[in-house]
Amino acid sequence: MFKPTVGPIIGHTTTNHARIFLRGETQDDALVFAGIRYRPVGDERWTKGLFTKLSTLRDMSDVIALNDLSEDTAYEYQAGWISPMSPVHTVETVQELPLQWPREIYRFRTQSSKVTRPRAYIIGSCRYLRMTAGKPSSPLRGDRIFDSIKKLVDQADPPISATLMTGDQIYVDDLNIIAPDREYNEILSKYRAAFSQPNICKLMAGTPTYMILDDHEIEDNWPANASKSDDELYRNAMNAYELYQASHSPAHELYDNGLVNRSRLEHYWYPLSEGDIEWFVTDSRTRRTLSADDRRILDEEQEQVLLKWLVNSPARVKFVVTSVMFYPDRKSHGDDAWKAFPEQRLRLLETIRTHRIKNVIFVSGDVHGSLTSRLTHSEDLDFDIHTIVSSPLCNSKLLPYASESTFILDQPLAQTAAGDYRHELTSKVVSQDNFAHVVVEAQEIRVNYHDRDGNLLQTIDIPLR
C-alpha cells in the first residue's frame, strides 16, 4: 500500500465516531482502493481494514467513517491506498489481501461526554499559499505556522479537542489579476498542494479539523463581485470545496449503517457539540441575498435554525462561527461583513438580549488581524457577548494587516428605541501571522494568541456567567 497523496485528515469526531479523509492516485484504468485500520492505543491487534473504492469523480478521495468507538479513548491508525492487480476486486475482497500497510501510525482521541471538563481549541483562518504555475511558490512559509501549532497540540493541557479553520483555507483567486484559476483541475491542484504540506499534514492527521469557507475559496468578496461569467467558476469552486473541506464535516449525515451520506449537500452550515459546549458553524458566504429590500448574509432557513439553537440549546457556552466579522465594523471594506446586513445582525442581537442568553461568543477571521472585543447594551446591563477574531495563519506580502485604526470603535454598533449596542476592544489587535489557542474552563474562556513561531503574544480572559 502507498501513503495517501493528501491526508489523512481527521474530521468530525464524537464520543463514538470519527471521519477520516484521504486521497490516493489514479492508476490508468485500474481499480484503486483507500483503506484504514485502527486500534485502541496499547492493543496489539489491528481491526480488519475498512476500504472504499476511489473514483476520479471525487478526485480519487473519500471519507471513511469509524463507528462504535469507545468514549474518551486514544486510538492509533494507519492509512493508505492500493491498486490491486485483479480487476474484479471489491471493498470486501481487498480486506482479505495480505497487505503491507504504510509504516506511519497516526493517533487521535474520541470526545469525553463529561460536562465539567475544561476544553481547548485552535482557531485560525486565512492561509495564503501563493501558487505559481500550479505549485506553491513559498511552501515553507505557508506551512511554517502549523509546526508551531502541532508542538502546542502535543503539549497542551487540557488537550486540544479540535482545530477550527474559519475561512480562506485556500486562495482560489491568488494572482487573480495575472492568472486567475477558474478551471476545476486548477482549483483541485490548489487543495492538493495546500493540504499536503508536511506540517499541516501532521496536525490534521491527529487533531479533528472543522472547516467553513469564505470568499477566497471562490473569489474575492463573493458574491458582490460576481458576474454572469462566474457561474462555472462557482460550480467548480464549490465542487472542490465539498470534496476537500465539507466531506469530513458534520454537514454530511450518516446512514443507519454508519456510512457517510454522499448525496449532494443541502447546505454547508452545521452544529457540533462537546460536553456542555456547542458550536454553530454558519455559512455566511454562499447564501447571501444582496437585494435592497431583504438583505441577508444568512439565508432565511439558516437564520431560523440558528435562532432556535440560540434559544433552545442547553449548552453552557455557545460559539457561533461566522467567517466574516460580526463586529466590530471596519471603517473601509466593511460591506463584505455583517456591517452591510444590519437588520439581520440586530435580529440576532435582540434574540440574545430578550431571551437573556448567556455566554455567546462569536468567532471569525477574514480581516488579517486578531482581537477580542465585548458588546454591551446601554439599558440592559444583563446583556453581554464577546467576539474572538483569529487571522491570518499566513498572510501575503501584497495584503495589509489590520490594526486598531482599521475598526470603528467610537460609535455604537447599533441604536434602537430600547437602547444602544456598544462595543470595546478587550485585547490589542495582533498585526502579524498568528493563531488562537482557546481554553474553556469553569469560570472563564482564556484566549491565547501565538505568533507563527509559537511565541505567546497576549492572553485575554473572558469571564463566563
Side-chain angles (χ1 to χ4, degrees), residues 202-252:
K202 292 176 184 177
L203 174 67
M204 295 196 299
T207 304
T209 303
Y210 296 86
M211 304 175 180
I212 194 65
L213 81 165
D214 199 18
D215 55 340
H216 292 290
E217 270 88 0
I218 312 166
E219 182 179 75
D220 187 35
N221 286 356
W222 183 271
N225 289 349
S227 64
K228 292 181 179 179
S229 63
D230 284 337
D231 289 349
E232 184 178 1
L233 164 65
Y234 180 73
R235 183 170 60 253
N236 291 337
M238 289 300 91
N239 286 339
Y241 170 78
E242 290 185 10
L243 287 183
Y244 280 91
Q245 298 199 55
S247 63
H248 46 82
S249 79
H252 280 284

Side-chain angles (χ1 to χ4, degrees), residues 207-449:
T207 304
T209 303
Y210 296 86
M211 304 175 180
I212 194 65
L213 81 165
D214 199 18
D215 55 340
H216 292 290
E217 270 88 0
I218 312 166
E219 182 179 75
D220 187 35
N221 286 356
W222 183 271
N225 289 349
S227 64
K228 292 181 179 179
S229 63
D230 284 337
D231 289 349
E232 184 178 1
L233 164 65
Y234 180 73
R235 183 170 60 253
N236 291 337
M238 289 300 91
N239 286 339
Y241 170 78
E242 290 185 10
L243 287 183
Y244 280 91
Q245 298 199 55
S247 63
H248 46 82
S249 79
H252 280 284
E253 297 180 347
L254 290 178
Y255 289 118
D256 291 340
N257 61 6
L259 297 178
V260 177
N261 184 346
R262 303 291 185 216
S263 60
R264 188 167 183 83
L265 287 173
E266 297 298 324
H267 53 73
Y268 299 135
W269 49 265
Y270 55 87
L272 61 129
S273 63
E274 184 183 24
D276 58 358
I277 299 168
E278 292 188 9
W279 299 73
F280 194 104
V281 181
T282 69
D283 171 13
S284 57
R285 183 58 64 181
T286 74
R287 296 295 188 94
R288 298 186 179 200
T289 300
L290 302 181
S291 62
D293 57 341
D294 186 28
R295 292 184 62 83
R296 293 178 177 272
I297 194 170
L298 309 180
D299 58 285
E300 185 175 2
E301 178 193 6
Q302 185 178 182
E303 178 184 347
Q304 292 305 313
V305 174
L306 174 58
L307 292 176
K308 289 179 181 178
W309 175 80
L310 284 167
V311 172
N312 298 325
S313 167
R316 180 173 63 96
V317 179
K318 299 177 183 179
F319 289 103
V320 180
V321 176
T322 165
S323 56
V324 293
M325 286 186 64
F326 192 69
Y327 78 92
D329 293 332
R330 300 175 70 176
K331 294 177 181 177
S332 60
H333 308 295
D335 288 347
D336 188 51
W338 284 84
K339 175 185 178 182
F341 305 86
E343 294 85 0
Q344 191 171 46
R345 178 167 63 180
L346 186 58
R347 288 197 296 270
L348 265 65
L349 292 176
E350 286 289 272
T351 297
I352 295 169
R353 186 181 70 83
T354 59
H355 286 83
R356 301 193 174 279
I357 304 170
K358 300 184 184 303
N359 302 329
V360 177
I361 314 293
F362 285 87
V363 177
S364 61
D366 182 54
V367 294
H368 294 213
S370 293
L371 59 94
T372 63
S373 59
R374 180 184 181 219
L375 187 67
T376 57
H377 192 274
S378 61
E379 306 302 320
D380 189 342
L381 301 182
D382 194 48
F383 175 84
D384 180 269
I385 67 171
H386 293 261
T387 187
I388 300 172
V389 181
S390 182
S391 168
L393 292 164
C394 180
N395 202 7
S396 165
K397 294 180 179 179
L398 303 175
L399 301 174
Y401 290 101
S403 64
E404 184 170 335
S405 63
T406 301
F407 304 102
I408 302 171
L409 302 170
D410 59 351
Q411 56 186 273
L413 184 72
Q415 295 177 294
T416 72
D420 297 346
Y421 286 95
R422 299 171 177 171
H423 57 295
E424 61 179 347
L425 294 180
T426 52
S427 74
K428 298 178 181 178
V429 177
V430 178
S431 303
Q432 58 181 290
D433 292 358
N434 72 98
F435 65 92
H437 170 212
V438 177
V439 183
V440 184
E441 299 181 333
Q443 302 298 324
E444 65 184 10
I445 298 174
R446 177 158 295 176
V447 183
N448 304 301
Y449 286 111

